[in-house]
Amino acid sequence: MERLEKKGREVPADYLNRPELEPEGAFYFDAFFRLSPSRRVGFSEGPIPFEAIDAFARRWRIWGSEFDRFERMIRALDSEHLTKRSAGKDDPQNLTSMKDAAGLRALLQSVGSKGG
């Protein structure tokens, strides 16, 4: 940011208005977005495979009850993602941008209310 200001360039508004998540929420979102490409795609988009979740958790040394919580959170985010995608694949209202702080909070609250 300082380098841009020194060069007389503006800091992008998206950077200044980026959503702020609690560290734990940010970790789950990061994990979800890293795991999403591992899903199988055929006639429709499938869920994130257990093997991918397990490998990610082992890499980050997430064990025992922490793994159970991690898997539940990834599955809840994935379920929400797949529900929105199947409701209207091309409908922008069914997508949540990473830049939409209110949308991300609402998604986390929705997942939390389902017992994630």
Side-chain angles (χ1 to χ4, degrees):
M1 196 161 73
E2 290 175 11
R3 287 193 296 173
L4 289 174
E5 290 172 344
K6 284 181 183 177
K7 292 181 178 182
R9 297 174 68 190
E10 286 187 34
V11 177
D14 287 341
Y15 178 80
L16 296 173
N17 299 321
R18 66 190 181 277
E20 291 185 30
L21 296 172
E22 297 296 322
E24 183 179 28
F27 175 76
Y28 289 123
F29 268 112
D30 181 59
F32 172 73
F33 284 108
R34 287 177 183 231
L35 289 165
S36 280
S38 67
R39 65 179 80 246
R40 294 173 184 95
V41 179
F43 289 107
S44 64
E45 192 173 26
I48 295 172
F50 173 82
E51 297 82 10
I53 296 170
D54 185 52
F56 187 95
R58 280 186 279 123
R59 166 79 55 153
W60 286 89
R61 295 182 174 94
I62 301 171
W63 313 108
S65 63
E66 288 299 316
F67 174 79
D68 296 337
R69 177 176 168 75
F70 177 73
E71 183 186 14
R72 277 194 317 272
M73 288 298 293
I74 296 301
R75 293 278 179 224
L77 289 167
D78 201 29
S79 174
E80 199 68 24
H81 168 79
L82 292 172
T83 298
K84 287 184 178 238
R85 293 285 292 191
S86 67
K89 204 173 199 177
D90 299 322
D91 185 350
Q93 291 183 344
N94 290 323
L95 303 175
T96 302
S97 168
M98 285 300 293
K99 298 175 183 177
D100 178 6
L104 291 174
R105 282 190 199 98
L107 180 60
L108 280 176
Q109 288 172 345
S110 172
V111 167
S113 70
K114 293 177 184 174

